[in-house]
Amino acid sequence: MGAKVLFASVKYDKFDADVTLPAKFGRLIDRMGMQDVVKGKWTAIKMHLGRNIGYSTIHPLFVKILVDKLLEYGAKVYITDQVVSGARSRGYTEEYLGVPIVPVCGLLGKYYYEKHVDFKTFKNVDIGGYIHDAEVMINLSHVKGHGACGYGGACKNIAMGCVTDRTRQQIHGLEGGITWEEDLCIHCEACIRNCNHDANSFDENGKYKVFFHNCTFCQHCVKVCPTGAIKMDANRYEDFQKGMALCTDVVLKTFEPGHVFYINFLTNITILCDCWGLTTPSLVPDIGVFASQDIVAIERASLDAIKVEDLIPSGLPQGMELGTHGHLFERIHRKDPFVQLRELEKRGLGTQEYYIEEVF
């Protein structure tokens, strides 16, 4: 039969607030069985608070509904993300939400617990202190595409958002290095403008340089280069997804069984990760919200709900051609998004077999 996944659909049958998604979301939370688990416990809501002028992260109204429910259950709640600066511009404020908003590694980025792993060049999982010390975690994820792994959901929200920059860099580093072909370069500096980490530059002789201490291998420079002068030197996206699964496994081991809950929002599903700090039109119509205590099942249900036949052409850059096989995200990014699910499943973190219970 598989794992249970709750689902609240955006579909409605009358003009009544009670049949819209926010009302259904409140009822979905009540059905998740969190009441006794969170009571009296420090409960971290891990979400992506967005960057720059992006506006497609989870609407603050839904976050407020979740916070109020948790407080009603007696939880001690705070919201956390790897980066919290700029959250206010998207409406995530302590005044509105009623709980603290803290960086996972503290204000100075130095509060973390180091765990050791051994997967190729991936050696350090530095778990943010505000994740490690929480007794319960609500993994509140916004589903979207992702250039490095095809798909970003619950796994990515943990693996790339609950850790230090060092860990993120090591996971991205599994993909390989970056190469520059001088003959193709027109020195437009789009690569420089689109690097969020001050990791690249041209030297006094016009040579392209990458400061790998700062580089997270996010591929922004690769994607914006108009001539293809910047490339990854190896297409090891599968190692990247395996690294994410490994990191997620290590983070989840800090929680007692049954103390992590997953909520995936399938609204404003865009082509790129929210870390880009920009929002493009949706790839498919809004679908709704999934919830589960099984990370693999909720990821599978989310991917299954996003269908090629529902593609909205304006969600793609003009002139972009889709691949001919696989999931919609694979046709866009040329990377199989199910690799991370298979790796999570191999690690005993859940099952791709699931059944849906719809919340009306």
Side-chain angles (χ1 to χ4, degrees):
M1 193 173 188
K4 179 172 71 174
V5 178
L6 299 173
F7 174 57
S9 173
V10 296
K11 295 180 180 178
Y12 66 100
D13 58 6
K14 56 185 173 181
F15 297 121
D16 183 337
D18 196 51
V19 301
T20 61
L21 191 59
K24 291 180 182 179
F25 181 52
R27 294 191 286 273
L28 178 144
I29 296 168
D30 285 332
R31 290 267 295 275
M32 291 179 68
M34 294 192 290
Q35 291 89 330
D36 293 336
V37 178
V38 303
K39 186 176 182 180
K41 294 187 178 68
W42 285 106
T43 301
I45 299 175
K46 170 60 185 77
M47 62 176 295
H48 198 300
L49 295 168
R51 305 285 188 273
N52 198 20
I53 58 171
Y55 58 88
S56 48
T57 50
I58 298 169
H59 195 286
L61 174 64
F62 292 102
V63 184
K64 176 66 170 171
I65 291 170
L66 175 59
V67 167
D68 288 349
K69 285 286 187 182
L70 292 170
L71 293 175
E72 178 187 317
Y73 300 157
K76 296 179 286 187
V77 185
Y78 57 92
I79 294 167
T80 188
D81 188 16
Q82 213 229 12
V83 177
V84 304
S85 60
R88 176 175 290 272
S89 66
R90 278 167 291 283
Y92 305 118
T93 67
E94 295 184 354
E95 294 86 352
Y96 173 60
L97 297 173
V99 294
I101 301 174
V102 295
V104 294
C105 296
L107 291 175
L108 301 180
K110 297 179 180 180
Y111 179 37
Y112 62 88
Y113 295 78
E114 184 177 2
K115 311 290 182 180
H116 296 283
V117 295
D118 187 16
F119 177 58
K120 299 188 176 181
T121 56
F122 183 22
K123 304 297 182 183
N124 307 100
V125 176
D126 304 327
I127 305 174
Y130 282 98
I131 293 295
H132 187 280
D133 293 349
E135 297 170 278
V136 180
M137 179 168 67
I138 313 299
N139 189 28
L140 182 64
S141 307
H142 173 230
V143 166
K144 62 276 176 187
H146 193 281
C149 54
Y151 160 79
C155 177
K156 181 184 177 296
N157 194 33
I158 293 175
M160 306 302 285
C162 292
V163 295
T164 63
D165 282 338
R166 177 172 71 163
T167 297
R168 288 161 57 91
Q169 179 179 347
Q170 288 185 17
I171 296 173
H172 274 298
L174 292 169
E175 297 176 83
I178 294 172
T179 63
W180 175 66
E181 294 186 39
E182 185 172 7
D183 292 345
L184 296 178
C185 183
I186 59 174
H187 292 83
C188 66
E189 299 195 354
C191 54
I192 311 297
R193 294 191 299 272
N194 283 277
C195 178
N196 293 336
H197 305 280
D198 296 322
N200 55 3
S201 62
F202 285 99
D203 65 18
E204 63 275 10
N205 298 316
K207 305 291 187 181
Y208 183 68
K209 302 294 182 183
V210 178
F211 181 41
F212 286 99
H213 180 276
N214 285 3
C215 179
T216 64
F217 296 95
C218 66
Q219 298 187 53
H220 288 196
C221 57
V222 177
K223 287 184 174 293
V224 300
C225 181
T227 63
I230 304 173
K231 296 182 176 70
M232 301 298 291
D233 68 5
N235 184 24
R236 298 207 304 266
Y237 77 90
E238 291 195 7
D239 284 348
F240 176 84
Q241 295 199 52
K242 291 174 182 177
M244 286 206 310
L246 170 57
C247 186
T248 296
D249 190 11
V250 174
V251 172
L252 292 178
K253 280 182 168 63
T254 67
F255 294 92
E256 293 182 20
H259 282 55
V260 179
F261 298 84
Y262 305 96
I263 302 172
N264 278 7
F265 265 75
L266 279 75
T267 57
N268 299 305
I269 303 168
T270 55
I271 190 171
L272 295 175
C273 178
D274 297 322
C275 67
W276 275 71
L278 56 87
T279 291
T280 54
S282 295
L283 287 170
V284 295
D286 287 353
I287 296 168
V289 183
F290 286 109
S292 182
Q293 282 198 272
D294 187 308
I295 187 173
V296 185
I298 194 171
E299 296 283 71
R300 182 70 198 224
S302 298
L303 282 166
D304 286 349
I306 299 168
K307 302 180 184 300
V308 173
E309 55 265 31
D310 294 332
L311 174 66
I312 303 171
S314 61
L316 299 174
Q318 293 183 9
M320 182 181 200
E321 294 185 7
L322 291 179
T324 57
H325 68 277
H327 189 274
L328 175 60
F329 286 141
E330 183 173 3
R331 298 184 189 209
I332 292 171
H333 294 294
R334 307 307 199 269
K335 300 174 181 71
D336 178 4
F338 293 101
V339 172
Q340 59 194 280
L341 276 65
R342 293 193 289 270
E343 288 300 312
L344 292 168
E345 196 170 33
K346 286 179 184 177
R347 293 181 172 278
L349 297 178
T351 176
Q352 293 190 58
E353 300 295 325
Y354 66 93
Y355 65 95
I356 298 287
E357 282 191 8
E358 188 165 355
V359 178
F360 297 97

Short mmCIF file of all heavy atoms in Angstrom, two decimals, residues 4 7 27 30 46 66 104 116 133 136 141 170 180 203 211 222 230 240 257 285 292 306 315 323 327 348 360:
data_model
loop_
_atom_site.label_atom_id
_atom_site.label_comp_id
_atom_site.label_asym_id
_atom_site.label_seq_id
_atom_site.Cartn_x
_atom_site.Cartn_y
_atom_site.Cartn_z
N LYS A 4 1.44 6.96 3.54
CA LYS A 4 0.33 7.89 3.38
C LYS A 4 0.84 9.29 3.07
O LYS A 4 1.76 9.80 3.71
CB LYS A 4 -0.52 7.95 4.65
CG LYS A 4 -1.70 8.92 4.57
CD LYS A 4 -2.62 8.79 5.76
CE LYS A 4 -2.01 9.34 7.02
NZ LYS A 4 -2.99 9.34 8.14
N PHE A 7 -3.12 15.32 0.86
CA PHE A 7 -3.12 16.25 -0.27
C PHE A 7 -4.29 17.21 -0.16
O PHE A 7 -5.44 16.81 0.03
CB PHE A 7 -3.24 15.48 -1.59
CG PHE A 7 -3.39 16.36 -2.80
CD1 PHE A 7 -2.45 17.32 -3.11
CD2 PHE A 7 -4.49 16.21 -3.64
CE1 PHE A 7 -2.59 18.14 -4.23
CE2 PHE A 7 -4.64 17.02 -4.77
CZ PHE A 7 -3.68 17.98 -5.07
N ARG A 27 -6.82 22.47 7.72
CA ARG A 27 -7.37 21.14 8.02
C ARG A 27 -6.34 20.03 7.76
O ARG A 27 -6.30 19.03 8.48
CB ARG A 27 -8.63 20.92 7.19
CG ARG A 27 -9.77 21.87 7.56
CD ARG A 27 -11.09 21.48 6.93
NE ARG A 27 -11.18 21.77 5.52
CZ ARG A 27 -11.59 22.93 5.01
NH1 ARG A 27 -11.90 23.95 5.82
NH2 ARG A 27 -11.68 23.11 3.70
N ASP A 30 -4.06 19.69 10.78
CA ASP A 30 -4.72 18.93 11.85
C ASP A 30 -4.70 17.43 11.59
O ASP A 30 -4.71 16.63 12.54
CB ASP A 30 -6.17 19.41 12.02
CG ASP A 30 -6.27 20.76 12.71
OD1 ASP A 30 -5.37 21.09 13.50
OD2 ASP A 30 -7.27 21.47 12.48
N LYS A 46 11.75 24.60 8.98
CA LYS A 46 12.82 24.86 8.00
C LYS A 46 12.19 25.16 6.65
O LYS A 46 11.47 24.34 6.08
CB LYS A 46 13.74 23.63 7.88
CG LYS A 46 14.73 23.73 6.71
CD LYS A 46 15.66 24.92 6.83
CE LYS A 46 16.55 25.06 5.59
NZ LYS A 46 15.81 25.64 4.43
N LEU A 66 0.47 27.73 9.64
CA LEU A 66 1.24 26.64 10.25
C LEU A 66 1.75 27.03 11.63
O LEU A 66 1.63 26.24 12.59
CB LEU A 66 2.42 26.27 9.33
CG LEU A 66 3.40 25.23 9.86
CD1 LEU A 66 2.69 23.92 10.17
CD2 LEU A 66 4.54 25.01 8.88
N VAL A 104 20.24 29.21 10.41
CA VAL A 104 20.49 27.86 10.94
C VAL A 104 21.82 27.77 11.68
O VAL A 104 21.96 26.98 12.62
CB VAL A 104 20.43 26.78 9.83
CG1 VAL A 104 19.05 26.64 9.25
CG2 VAL A 104 21.47 27.03 8.75
N HIS A 116 31.18 13.69 10.12
CA HIS A 116 32.10 13.27 9.06
C HIS A 116 31.46 12.19 8.19
O HIS A 116 30.82 11.26 8.68
CB HIS A 116 33.41 12.76 9.66
CG HIS A 116 34.17 13.81 10.40
ND1 HIS A 116 34.91 14.78 9.75
CD2 HIS A 116 34.30 14.07 11.72
CE1 HIS A 116 35.45 15.58 10.65
NE2 HIS A 116 35.10 15.17 11.85
N ASP A 133 19.75 21.34 17.35
CA ASP A 133 19.23 21.44 18.71
C ASP A 133 17.70 21.36 18.78
O ASP A 133 17.14 21.23 19.87
CB ASP A 133 19.68 22.76 19.34
CG ASP A 133 21.19 22.80 19.56
OD1 ASP A 133 21.83 21.75 19.42
OD2 ASP A 133 21.71 23.88 19.88
N VAL A 136 11.94 18.87 17.16
CA VAL A 136 11.05 18.51 16.05
C VAL A 136 11.37 19.42 14.88
O VAL A 136 11.72 20.60 15.08
CB VAL A 136 9.56 18.66 16.43
CG1 VAL A 136 8.66 18.27 15.26
CG2 VAL A 136 9.22 17.83 17.67
N SER A 141 8.68 22.91 2.39
CA SER A 141 9.44 23.07 1.14
C SER A 141 8.58 23.63 0.02
O SER A 141 7.42 23.24 -0.14
CB SER A 141 10.01 21.71 0.71
OG SER A 141 10.74 21.11 1.75
N GLN A 170 30.92 21.49 -0.72
CA GLN A 170 31.38 20.12 -0.96
C GLN A 170 30.36 19.31 -1.75
O GLN A 170 30.72 18.49 -2.60
CB GLN A 170 31.72 19.43 0.36
CG GLN A 170 32.98 19.96 1.01
CD GLN A 170 33.37 19.18 2.26
OE1 GLN A 170 32.91 18.07 2.49
NE2 GLN A 170 34.23 19.77 3.07
N TRP A 180 36.97 27.41 -18.57
CA TRP A 180 36.76 28.65 -19.33
C TRP A 180 37.53 28.57 -20.64
O TRP A 180 38.72 28.25 -20.65
CB TRP A 180 37.25 29.84 -18.50
CG TRP A 180 37.20 31.16 -19.20
CD1 TRP A 180 36.09 31.84 -19.60
CD2 TRP A 180 38.32 31.98 -19.56
NE1 TRP A 180 36.44 33.04 -20.19
CE2 TRP A 180 37.80 33.15 -20.17
CE3 TRP A 180 39.70 31.85 -19.43
CZ2 TRP A 180 38.62 34.17 -20.65
CZ3 TRP A 180 40.53 32.87 -19.89
CH2 TRP A 180 39.98 34.02 -20.50
N ASP A 203 41.07 38.85 -14.25
CA ASP A 203 42.27 39.50 -13.73
C ASP A 203 42.70 40.62 -14.67
O ASP A 203 42.04 40.93 -15.67
CB ASP A 203 43.39 38.48 -13.50
CG ASP A 203 43.90 37.83 -14.79
OD1 ASP A 203 43.65 38.36 -15.89
OD2 ASP A 203 44.56 36.78 -14.69
N PHE A 211 37.47 31.77 -7.62
CA PHE A 211 37.98 31.62 -6.26
C PHE A 211 37.15 30.51 -5.61
O PHE A 211 36.05 30.72 -5.13
CB PHE A 211 37.83 32.94 -5.50
CG PHE A 211 38.35 32.90 -4.09
CD1 PHE A 211 39.53 32.25 -3.78
CD2 PHE A 211 37.66 33.54 -3.08
CE1 PHE A 211 40.02 32.22 -2.48
CE2 PHE A 211 38.13 33.52 -1.77
CZ PHE A 211 39.32 32.86 -1.47
N VAL A 222 27.61 29.44 -15.50
CA VAL A 222 27.49 28.57 -16.67
C VAL A 222 26.20 28.88 -17.43
O VAL A 222 26.20 28.98 -18.67
CB VAL A 222 27.52 27.09 -16.25
CG1 VAL A 222 27.32 26.17 -17.46
CG2 VAL A 222 28.83 26.75 -15.55
N ILE A 230 31.97 29.25 -20.54
CA ILE A 230 32.12 28.66 -19.20
C ILE A 230 31.34 27.35 -19.17
O ILE A 230 30.15 27.32 -19.53
CB ILE A 230 31.62 29.62 -18.11
CG1 ILE A 230 32.34 30.96 -18.20
CG2 ILE A 230 31.82 29.00 -16.73
CD1 ILE A 230 31.80 32.02 -17.28
N PHE A 240 25.96 14.62 -7.29
CA PHE A 240 25.38 15.73 -6.53
C PHE A 240 24.13 15.26 -5.80
O PHE A 240 23.94 15.54 -4.60
CB PHE A 240 25.04 16.87 -7.49
CG PHE A 240 24.34 18.04 -6.84
CD1 PHE A 240 25.05 19.03 -6.19
CD2 PHE A 240 22.95 18.14 -6.89
CE1 PHE A 240 24.39 20.10 -5.59
CE2 PHE A 240 22.30 19.21 -6.30
CZ PHE A 240 23.02 20.19 -5.65
N PRO A 257 12.90 9.20 15.92
CA PRO A 257 11.92 8.72 14.94
C PRO A 257 10.55 9.37 15.16
O PRO A 257 10.11 9.54 16.29
CB PRO A 257 11.86 7.21 15.21
CG PRO A 257 13.20 6.89 15.81
CD PRO A 257 13.58 8.09 16.63
N PRO A 285 0.25 24.83 -13.93
CA PRO A 285 -0.70 25.45 -13.01
C PRO A 285 -0.44 25.00 -11.57
O PRO A 285 0.09 23.91 -11.33
CB PRO A 285 -2.06 24.94 -13.51
CG PRO A 285 -1.83 24.55 -14.94
CD PRO A 285 -0.42 24.05 -14.99
N SER A 292 3.39 14.59 4.61
CA SER A 292 3.66 13.20 4.96
C SER A 292 4.74 13.14 6.02
O SER A 292 5.41 14.14 6.30
CB SER A 292 4.11 12.41 3.72
OG SER A 292 4.32 11.05 4.02
N ILE A 306 3.46 16.69 -11.23
CA ILE A 306 3.93 17.68 -12.21
C ILE A 306 4.10 16.98 -13.54
O ILE A 306 5.01 16.17 -13.72
CB ILE A 306 5.26 18.30 -11.73
CG1 ILE A 306 5.06 19.01 -10.39
CG2 ILE A 306 5.80 19.27 -12.78
CD1 ILE A 306 6.36 19.41 -9.71
N GLY A 315 6.42 29.58 -19.06
CA GLY A 315 7.31 29.27 -17.93
C GLY A 315 8.72 28.97 -18.35
O GLY A 315 9.63 28.95 -17.51
N GLY A 323 13.88 18.50 -23.88
CA GLY A 323 14.31 17.16 -24.24
C GLY A 323 13.10 16.32 -24.59
O GLY A 323 11.95 16.73 -24.40
N HIS A 327 10.82 12.93 -17.09
CA HIS A 327 9.97 13.88 -16.37
C HIS A 327 10.14 15.28 -16.97
O HIS A 327 11.15 15.58 -17.62
CB HIS A 327 10.37 13.89 -14.89
CG HIS A 327 9.45 14.66 -14.00
ND1 HIS A 327 9.56 16.01 -13.79
CD2 HIS A 327 8.37 14.25 -13.26
CE1 HIS A 327 8.61 16.42 -12.96
NE2 HIS A 327 7.88 15.36 -12.63
N GLY A 348 17.07 3.80 3.47
CA GLY A 348 16.02 3.42 4.41
C GLY A 348 15.21 4.58 4.94
O GLY A 348 14.58 4.47 6.01
N PHE A 360 -10.32 17.80 2.19
CA PHE A 360 -11.28 18.74 1.55
C PHE A 360 -11.61 19.90 2.49
O PHE A 360 -11.40 19.84 3.68
CB PHE A 360 -12.54 18.00 1.16
CG PHE A 360 -12.30 16.93 0.12
CD1 PHE A 360 -12.14 15.60 0.48
CD2 PHE A 360 -12.23 17.27 -1.22
CE1 PHE A 360 -11.92 14.63 -0.46
CE2 PHE A 360 -12.01 16.29 -2.17
CZ PHE A 360 -11.86 14.96 -1.81
#
